[in-house]
Amino acid sequence: MGNGLIKFFIDRYVDVCIPYIRPIQGNLSMYLNEQEQQILNGRLGPEIASVFASQIQIGEFFGAEKFVEVSNAHFMGDYEVMGDAGADLLTELVLAGLKVKIPTTRNAQCIDVINAKQLRQSLELIQGEKHITELLTQLGVSVTNTCIGYQNIYQPHIGEHVAWGDTGTVAYANSVLGARTNYEAGPSSLAAGLTGRTPEYGFHLKHNRRANIYCKITTPLVDLAEWGALGVILGQYYRDYWAVPVFDYVGPSPISDQLKQLGASLASYCSMAMFHLIGSTPEAPSLEAACSGRQLIGELEISRKDIEKVLEETTSKDGSVHLVVFSAPQLSLFELRNLAMLVGDQHFHQDVTVIITTNFMVAQEAERLGYLAVLEKAGAIVSKGTCWYIMQPELMRKEFGWSEVVTNSSKLANIIRAHNYRPILRSTQQCIQAAITAKV
Amino acid sequence: MSIKSSYKAKQATGKSIEAIAVVSPVTFSARYDLDRTNGIICRQDHPLRGTSIIDTVLVAPGVQGGVAGGWAFLAMKGLGVGFKGLVFGAVNPVMVQGAVAAGIPIFAGIDLEIFDEVKTGDRIFLDPLAKTVSISKI
């Protein structure tokens, strides 16, 4: 065990664990089975004991009674957010010989090796990310670099416990698949991957999954931006991880990509990890089933006018367009197909940069099917294994003189303000038109 | 330290510390609000835009957004530009997981009356064991 790891965990291990070790059962609120007591007592090594101690600290904070075994872990861990301190931690875990116990995947990465020069990505970021990728590989992590693994890598079934990071994946897993997970931030979901378990609190427990906000949607929603707008509207009233909205929707049952946008937006604007859609999501065959007796804290009605207001309230300063981004979450195969159909044989305006992000698996298939050729011929940069907002957009803004971004992603519109961009949220078709005409 | 007043939280973990408070009237997100390299609040429409958070205790009514906080607190600590502690009204797991990873104390469910009294620049004392946040007398 390296000194760094000891130093890293020493505060937690001393403050949290040492008081509990003698005797463990006398002081811990959480129940630990025999195997878990052995982990904590260091029988499997001091390193994994320290990792487990951090999980106990979190479980105790949230009043978890015990741990639950998880079948899959997914975490965010790229150099942009981890920095050198995160890399140092991974290094110590590698030096300790630890490996993940369950299938564990990594979220989008922050560099596009192929387009790095064109996108003016810094050498520091490129080198840092490559180092992180090497370390994760040594830990046994499948470095899939995707935030849409639920669409083409692994779909946990109803009731299956997982430990997923990236808030949009969590919302999708809980809501659409009926799987059970909390938001698991990078170090936490990595810990779950290493120990194969996570504290049982929050959305692992059935009673916390019941709806307590009723939201009637009186208009059909078609475009992805319209589904994302729901999160924007709800976020004006509710920002509560523990709240669960149930949508009563008049339109046709939505497809995966629409629910993907809804989940990402609810997570971004409302900090929510779960929603129900009556008749569409597995735990909401009816309003009564979705609520299961939980008291409502609010009711809301959303009309076409409300949706249009969201899409109209973000505007350009002078109507000119220099950047259009389709990202956050990464695009599915059918989203790429739709973009290719909207573009056809047209070309994007020479003054407009168009960036599209997806994962490697989707990109490979989109290439085989000809969708990528259409988009790239039109002038788009199709970035693989990335998500744009973690690719140093602040640096790109300075390098290219960008100040506004047109997008159909409400999540991106929310995040990108931190990097001093003015977001313009528009429908997918309007985004394509903006890219072609350089006007919005 | 002489105590002016104390407020109780429902949940707390970490070590006891004393530091200057940065009080936000709006919910907090590490990714949306911060320049994580320089330890400054940078969100365009944030009421505290331009405020340094280095070695401070953030006091905010709630949280929003994504999992970035999980690594961000640790990364910022590594750069010497991080928070010394976190106090929230409502919280999501990310903030707690991130605080635990960075080894900084975090409080949730703080008595909301604290927002009537505590101001940015006040010196406050966090006692996770007692689950209390105390404001010092000047």
Side-chain angles (χ1 to χ4, degrees), chain A residues 15 76 80 185 268 418 420, chain B residues 13 15 32 36 49 71 97:
Chain A
D15 290 353
M76 167 174 270
E80 189 268 344
S268 180
N420 292 307
Chain B
T13 191
K15 293 198 298 188
Y32 301 175
R36 287 172 276 125
R49 189 173 188 210
W71 288 115
Q97 295 157 357

Side-chain angles (χ1 to χ4, degrees), chain A residues 8 11-12 15 54 57-58 61-62 75-77 80-83 85-86 89-90 165-167 182-188 190 201 239 241-242 267-269 271 389-390 414-415 417-418 420-422, chain B residues 11-15 26-27 31-34 36 42-45 49 63-72 74-75 77-79 90-94 96-103 106-108:
Chain A
F8 182 79
D11 289 346
R12 288 173 297 287
D15 290 353
S54 70
Q57 189 176 356
I58 293 160
F61 185 94
F62 286 109
F75 79 107
M76 167 174 270
E80 189 268 344
V81 73
M82 296 173 76
L89 170 62
L90 294 185
D166 179 80
T167 52
N182 287 305
Y183 283 180
E184 295 271 12
S188 186
L190 182 58
Y201 66 93
R239 286 184 179 175
Y241 177 78
W242 310 99
S268 180
Y269 289 88
S271 193
Y389 71 80
I390 61 173
N414 197 20
I415 289 173
R417 290 187 177 98
N420 292 307
Y421 283 81
R422 183 186 178 98
Chain B
Q11 298 150 292
T13 191
K15 293 198 298 188
V26 298
T27 54
R31 183 177 295 287
Y32 301 175
D33 295 346
L34 295 180
R36 287 172 276 125
C42 66
R43 186 180 173 91
Q44 279 178 352
D45 54 356
R49 189 173 188 210
V63 301
Q64 67 162 323
V67 293
W71 288 115
L74 173 65
K77 187 178 183 181
L79 292 171
V91 75
N92 69 24
V94 169
V96 181
Q97 295 157 357
V100 168
I106 181 166
F107 287 63

Side-chain angles (χ1 to χ4, degrees), chain A residues 97-387:
Chain A
L98 296 185
K99 299 270 186 191
V100 293
K101 287 184 67 174
I102 54 175
T104 302
T105 49
R106 200 269 290 261
N107 214 49
Q109 66 177 348
C110 61
I111 61 162
D112 178 341
V113 176
I114 295 169
N115 297 299
K117 194 172 177 184
Q118 187 179 358
L119 293 172
R120 313 270 174 90
Q121 295 205 272
S122 71
L123 189 61
E124 181 199 1
L125 192 74
I126 294 167
Q127 289 175 339
E129 182 65 4
K130 282 182 176 175
H131 183 47
I132 294 281
T133 300
E134 288 166 5
L135 293 167
L136 290 175
T137 303
Q138 290 178 68
L139 287 170
V141 173
S142 300
V143 190
T144 51
N145 301 340
T146 185
C147 59
I148 55 166
Y150 52 82
Q151 289 191 307
N152 57 5
I153 291 180
Y154 187 69
Q155 298 83 34
H157 58 71
I158 188 164
E160 183 174 346
H161 295 274
V162 296
W164 281 11
D166 179 80
T167 52
T169 67
V170 170
Y172 196 97
N174 279 323
S175 313
V176 183
L177 304 177
R180 298 186 177 197
T181 178
N182 287 305
Y183 283 180
E184 295 271 12
S188 186
S189 42
L190 182 58
L194 292 167
T195 66
R197 63 201 72 228
T198 195
E200 189 183 51
Y201 66 93
F203 290 93
H204 289 286
L205 299 169
K206 193 173 180 180
H207 63 268
N208 292 326
R209 302 170 64 84
R210 299 173 301 162
N212 65 347
I213 297 169
Y214 174 76
C215 183
K216 175 88 175 171
I217 306 169
T218 62
T219 179
L221 304 175
V222 180
D223 192 78
L224 299 178
E226 295 178 351
W227 282 94
L230 291 179
V232 182
I233 295 166
L234 244 71
Q236 294 165 7
Y237 304 96
Y238 307 102
R239 286 184 179 175
D240 181 1
Y241 177 78
W242 310 99
V244 179
V246 54
F247 294 103
D248 189 355
Y249 171 56
V250 299
S253 190
I255 62 171
S256 170
D257 289 324
Q258 293 168 327
L259 296 175
K260 178 170 82 172
Q261 282 291 334
L262 173 59
S265 182
L266 287 172
S268 180
Y269 289 88
C270 312
S271 193
M272 288 174 181
M274 185 169 184
F275 65 88
H276 298 284
L277 186 62
I278 298 170
S280 291
T281 55
E283 292 170 64
S286 64
L287 176 61
E288 292 71 27
C291 297
S292 293
R294 189 176 183 187
Q295 192 171 2
L296 292 181
I297 60 169
E299 296 185 40
L300 200 63
E301 185 169 300
I302 296 176
S303 66
R304 169 58 42 187
K305 197 175 167 187
D306 298 317
I307 298 292
E308 286 172 355
K309 188 181 170 197
V310 171
L311 296 175
E312 288 166 3
E313 68 188 1
T314 53
T315 56
S316 169
K317 269 187 178 170
D318 62 4
S320 67
V321 173
H322 299 283
L323 176 64
V324 178
V325 176
F326 298 95
S327 184
Q330 292 172 334
L331 273 64
S332 70
L333 184 72
F334 296 125
E335 286 179 272
L336 291 177
R337 176 179 177 271
N338 184 46
L339 291 188
M341 288 174 66
L342 288 171
V343 172
D345 57 2
Q346 302 175 90
H347 288 266
F348 296 131
H349 195 281
Q350 60 183 8
D351 293 340
V352 181
T353 300
V354 177
I355 298 173
I356 301 167
T357 70
T358 187
N359 67 23
F360 287 100
M361 295 171 75
V362 168
Q364 190 170 6
E365 192 62 3
E367 185 168 24
R368 191 180 70 83
L369 293 168
Y371 308 152
L372 283 199
V374 172
L375 296 169
E376 289 176 340
K377 188 181 172 191
I381 298 169
V382 181
S383 182
K384 304 168 187 83
T386 57
C387 195

